[in-house]
Structure formats: structure tokens, C-alpha cells
Amino acid sequence: GENVEQHPSTLSVQEGDSAVIKCTYSDSASNYFPWYKQELGKRPQLIIDIRSNVGEKKDQRIAVTLNKTAKHFSLHITETQPEDSAVYFCAASPRGSQGNLIFGKGTKLSVKP
Amino acid sequence: DAGVTQSPTHLIKTRGQHVTLRCSPISGHKSVSWYQQVLGQGPQFIFQYYEKEERGRGNFPDRFSARQFPNYSSELNVNALLLGDSALYLCASSWATGDYEQYFGPGTRLTVT
């Protein structure tokens, strides 16, 4: 079955710097890759997603890139702000799974003012 | 993600008891998925329902069951509770089954003592 690995597990940056979180997946047939942000005690919030027919997608300060050959995808946050501090999860949806998501273990991002 | 509701917010049960968790999806969404999130981990897929039919099941024992009602709301039932069932149970709503965006509810925090 699908396996998603996420790195790093913790990431600390200064306000204004960029942050990059990387995920790898094992099932080459996976075709949908969302990213979620979860603040302490709150629900996971969908922040951006990408499908296998696209290599890059951007939404203001966040972007996601997908390399299907290498089976990895990354989240890029530019000009980080203290409110970006949260746990970020990547996920993959294996083809034929009806959209069930397999999540990574999460990255705790801390943005220091 | 606004609109997915879950009840109750918190629940404390004793080993061996039974629990029922409830979820109402975003208006117009016909698919509901359930996930278990243990502290410090990513959500783990339990069930997906679409049009009242089970469309996917994760690697959970038969003590876990679910159903979806004609109004697309859903229940997750867990029998013979174990200490290891203590977790945040998340419901996610999507328009349909497949690679559509999933929006999470606030979750039910279950503690088994």
C-alpha cells in the first residue's frame, strides 16, 4: 500500500525566511497530493493541493511542487510570519482508493519573530 | 472547511464500553470520511462513505463500524473500547468520492480510561 514519509519533523525559521517541507510517496499510481495546516487544538485545514498532471501550483506565499519521477512533493512557504507556526501534514491519494488520504507524520514549523 | 460539524466535542469512556460519534458534512457534500489522529501523528484513514455506501475501509478492527444517513450525515461506532482507542476522531467532508478536496470537522476527542 501507499506510504508517505515527511521531513523534517521540526523546522524553526526566522520571520521573513522561507520554509520548505518535503514528502516522498511509494505508490507511483498516486495522483492527488494535498497539504494541511493544523494549529494546536484545531482541525486540519486544507491550504493547497496538487494533482499528478501538474508540476507546480502557487497560492500567494505558498507553493507546492511535484516530481512524479522521483515520487516526491514539497511545500514552500515564503516570507514566513509567526501565524504560519503550526503542524503541516502532507498526504497522498492512491489511484483507485476512492480518494482516501494517506498522511505523513507531520512537520512542526516554528516561526520566530 | 467551514460547515463540517461533529459531536460530541469531548468524550470520556471506560474500557469495554461502546461509543457513537456523529458528523454532519458541508451542505451539498455527499461523501464523508473518518480518520483517527493519535497525538503527534498524522490522521489515519478509517472509513469513507458515499451515497450511504461504504467506499473504503482502512486497517482497523471490526470493532469499528460506520454508516451514512439519507441526509449524508454519518456515525462512527466503536465497540469494546481499548485504551489504545484514545485519540482525536476527525470527520472529513467532500463533494464526492475520488480525488476531491476533503474538509475536516473539529473532531471528537475520545479518552478511554
Side-chain angles (χ1 to χ4, degrees):
Chain A
E2 174 66 282
N3 182 51
V4 177
E5 294 195 358
Q6 184 171 347
H7 300 279
S9 56
T10 60
L11 180 60
S12 182
V13 300
Q14 287 294 133
E15 182 177 0
D17 288 349
S18 295
V20 180
I21 302 170
K22 298 181 180 181
C23 289
T24 60
Y25 59 99
S26 60
D27 186 349
S28 57
S30 291
N31 52 7
Y32 175 62
F33 307 91
W35 285 86
Y36 287 85
K37 173 185 180 182
Q38 188 174 29
E39 297 175 71
L40 190 63
K42 296 192 175 181
R43 72 187 78 189
Q45 177 189 0
L46 177 66
I47 56 173
I48 197 167
D49 57 10
I50 192 167
R51 289 176 170 78
S52 58
N53 59 343
V54 175
E56 183 175 0
K57 185 176 179 180
K58 192 173 182 179
D59 183 4
Q60 298 183 335
R61 294 187 299 109
I62 61 173
V64 56
T65 59
L66 172 65
N67 183 326
K68 289 189 296 182
T69 302
K71 290 188 288 186
H72 69 70
F73 55 113
S74 300
L75 177 71
H76 304 253
I77 306 174
T78 59
E79 302 174 16
T80 54
Q81 302 168 2
E83 50 266 38
D84 293 330
S85 296
V87 179
Y88 290 81
F89 292 99
C90 63
S93 176
R95 185 174 298 175
S97 71
Q98 303 286 337
N100 308 331
L101 297 177
I102 308 299
F103 283 83
K105 292 187 176 181
T107 296
K108 183 176 182 180
L109 173 64
S110 298
V111 181
K112 298 183 178 181
Chain B
D1 58 333
V4 181
T5 59
Q6 291 186 244
S7 62
T9 305
H10 297 88
L11 205 51
I12 300 175
K13 291 286 189 177
T14 305
R15 279 178 297 176
Q17 287 188 317
H18 162 270
V19 68
T20 297
L21 311 180
R22 297 177 174 82
C23 170
S24 291
I26 292 170
S27 178
H29 284 193
K30 299 181 178 180
S31 180
V32 169
S33 297
W34 288 95
Y35 293 83
Q36 180 195 66
Q37 187 176 26
V38 175
L39 197 62
Q41 300 291 321
Q44 187 174 0
F45 171 72
I46 309 175
F47 285 111
Q48 185 184 56
Y49 275 78
Y50 175 66
E51 292 284 14
K52 297 174 289 181
E53 292 187 1
E54 181 182 307
R55 292 302 186 98
R57 184 182 184 119
N59 188 25
F60 279 80
D62 291 343
R63 299 184 296 107
F64 288 77
S65 64
R67 56 179 176 168
Q68 186 177 34
F69 299 98
N71 66 353
Y72 303 109
S73 67
S74 177
E75 283 183 354
L76 175 70
N77 295 283
V78 187
N79 293 322
L81 286 167
L82 303 175
L83 295 179
D85 295 331
S86 295
L88 180 67
Y89 288 85
L90 294 161
C91 167
S93 161
S94 60
W95 180 73
T97 187
D99 294 334
Y100 295 99
E101 294 84 354
Q102 294 188 28
Y103 299 96
F104 283 91
T108 294
R109 172 71 63 186
L110 172 65
T111 302
V112 182
T113 62

